[in-house]
């Protein structure tokens, strides 16, 4: 315990004096301990050594402030980044050709104002830049505000008219929906009726062929197939003849309707009599 206490006293009164980057060690009168005791204590308790206190002389104020400021920077940021973090201009002097451009100076003045040290007159267009800007605006925006508003209103009106026509078309189609549904159902019913009639006709022809042979014949037999095909041809010919007759009757009815007068003409009493002499 006595050895540790003497080591604490030794380190407590030890001071380091820094001169031009060199470290000199000096001891006060209170550190009158024997060298043997110190070395023996340091070997036994090397892990208990506390860091020494750094002291500066009065003439090294600038070095002291620089060292303190350096030790204060715990973020390890570069100076320009620290300035940006504290909302100040990152560079006091130009470090690159970009820092001398008009665009960069305008950006600095826009961000930091008069604190940037930039002449505000640089933010205004020169005569050449103003002429180029006017020429660009004439090409990029050739129409006036009133013309653009008029064109926008016309486009909006065309869109509304297109929507209105579309809605009217939908309303008309919805009105015809019931009629179209009935027509579709009628077509489906007609197809089903035609398919049923064709099936019945085929069964009838097959039955007629079987009656012609007088016994039940296999439907896969060649003779049976030939007779069925012949019967189908005769049946189609008969149906065609019936359709032709119906068509002729309709045409004759139309001709008679055209030739007959729509209303009876009243004859005068003198008409139809022989002329008197």
């Amino acid at each position: 315990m006595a050895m540790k206490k003497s080591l604490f006293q030794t380190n407590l009164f030890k001071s380091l004096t820094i001169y031009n980057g060199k470290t000199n060690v000096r001891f006060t009168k209170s550190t009158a301990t024997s060298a043997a005791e110190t070395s023996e204590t340091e070997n036994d308790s090397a892990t208990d050594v506390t860091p020494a206190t750094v002291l500066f002389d009065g003439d090294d104020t600038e070095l002291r402030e620089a060292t303190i400021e350096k030790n204060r920077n715990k973020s390890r940021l570069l100076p320009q980044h620290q300035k940006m973090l504290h909302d100040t201009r990152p560079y006091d002097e130009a470090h690159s050709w970009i820092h001398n451009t008009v665009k960069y100076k305008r950006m600095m003045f826009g961000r930091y104002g008069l604190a940037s040290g930039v002449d505000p007159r640089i933010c205004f267009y020169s005569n050449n830049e103003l002429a180029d800007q006017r020429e660009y605006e004439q090409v990029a925006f050739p129409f006036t505000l009133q013309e653009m508003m008029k064109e926008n209103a016309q486009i909006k009106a065309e869109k509304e008219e297109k929507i209105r026509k579309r809605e009217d078309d939908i309303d008309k189609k919805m009105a015809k929906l019931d009629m179209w549904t009935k027509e579709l159902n009628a077509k489906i019913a007609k197809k089903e009726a035609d398919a049923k009639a064709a099936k019945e006709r085929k069964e009838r022809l097959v039955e007629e062929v079987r009656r012609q042979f007088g016994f039940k014949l296999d439907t896969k037999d060649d003779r049976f197939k030939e007779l069925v095909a012949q019967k189908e041809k005769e049946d189609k010919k008969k149906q065609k003849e019936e359709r032709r007759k119906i068509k002729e009757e309709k045409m004759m009815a139309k001709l008679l309707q055209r030739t007959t007068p729509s209303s009876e003409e009243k004859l005068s009493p003198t008409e139809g009599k022989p002329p008197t002499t």
Side-chain angles (χ1 to χ4, degrees), residues 131-143:
D132 294 340
Q133 185 67 20
R134 286 177 178 174
E135 183 179 359
Y136 170 78
E137 289 180 356
Q138 289 177 359
V139 175
F141 310 103
F143 303 104

Side-chain angles (χ1 to χ4, degrees), residues 15-26 54-61 63-64 67:
S15 62
L16 299 175
T17 306
I18 302 174
Y19 294 101
N20 298 327
K22 296 181 180 180
T23 303
N24 296 326
V25 181
R26 64 181 181 181
V54 179
L55 301 177
F56 298 92
D57 291 341
D59 297 336
D60 296 332
T61 305
L63 180 62
R64 178 175 177 274
T67 305

Side-chain angles (χ1 to χ4, degrees), residues 29-43:
K29 295 179 180 180
S30 301
T31 58
T33 55
S34 61
E37 182 180 357
T38 303
S39 60
E40 188 176 308
T41 306
E42 289 178 353
N43 292 331

Side-chain angles (χ1 to χ4, degrees), residues 34-189:
S34 61
E37 182 180 357
T38 303
S39 60
E40 188 176 308
T41 306
E42 289 178 353
N43 292 331
D44 293 339
S45 58
T47 57
D48 295 336
V49 176
T50 58
T53 304
V54 179
L55 301 177
F56 298 92
D57 291 341
D59 297 336
D60 296 332
T61 305
E62 295 181 358
L63 180 62
R64 178 175 177 274
E65 294 295 334
T67 305
I68 292 173
E69 190 66 25
K70 184 177 179 181
N71 294 333
R72 188 180 293 171
N73 182 18
K74 300 300 181 182
S75 62
R76 305 297 180 186
L77 292 175
L78 295 176
Q80 59 269 26
H81 296 160
Q82 285 184 350
K83 291 181 179 180
M84 292 175 66
L85 182 64
H86 293 87
D87 199 17
T88 57
R89 186 178 179 181
Y91 298 103
D92 296 332
E93 297 179 356
H95 288 73
S96 175
W97 64 270
I98 298 176
H99 299 162
N100 294 322
T101 59
V102 176
K103 183 178 180 181
Y104 181 82
K105 290 181 179 180
R106 287 175 177 174
M107 183 181 68
M108 290 293 103
F109 184 82
R111 184 172 295 177
Y112 304 110
L114 294 174
S116 61
V118 179
D119 188 357
R121 292 177 296 178
I122 200 172
C123 299
F124 295 92
Y125 284 131
S126 63
N127 294 332
N128 295 332
E129 291 176 342
L130 188 60
D132 294 340
Q133 185 67 20
R134 286 177 178 174
E135 183 179 359
Y136 170 78
E137 289 180 356
Q138 289 177 359
V139 175
F141 310 103
F143 303 104
T144 61
L145 180 60
Q146 290 76 11
E147 291 175 347
M148 288 190 291
M149 291 175 65
K150 185 177 179 180
E151 184 180 1
N152 189 17
Q154 184 178 358
I155 293 172
K156 186 177 180 181
E158 290 176 356
K159 288 183 178 180
E160 291 178 353
E161 182 66 18
K162 186 176 180 181
I163 293 172
R164 187 187 63 78
K165 289 181 179 180
R166 176 66 175 168
E167 290 177 350
D168 293 342
D169 188 32
I170 292 172
D171 292 338
K172 291 178 181 179
K173 289 180 179 179
M174 289 298 294
K176 295 180 180 179
L177 182 62
D178 295 336
M179 182 182 67
W180 290 342
T181 304
K182 291 179 181 179
E183 290 178 357
L184 180 61
N185 293 332
K187 287 181 180 179
I188 293 172

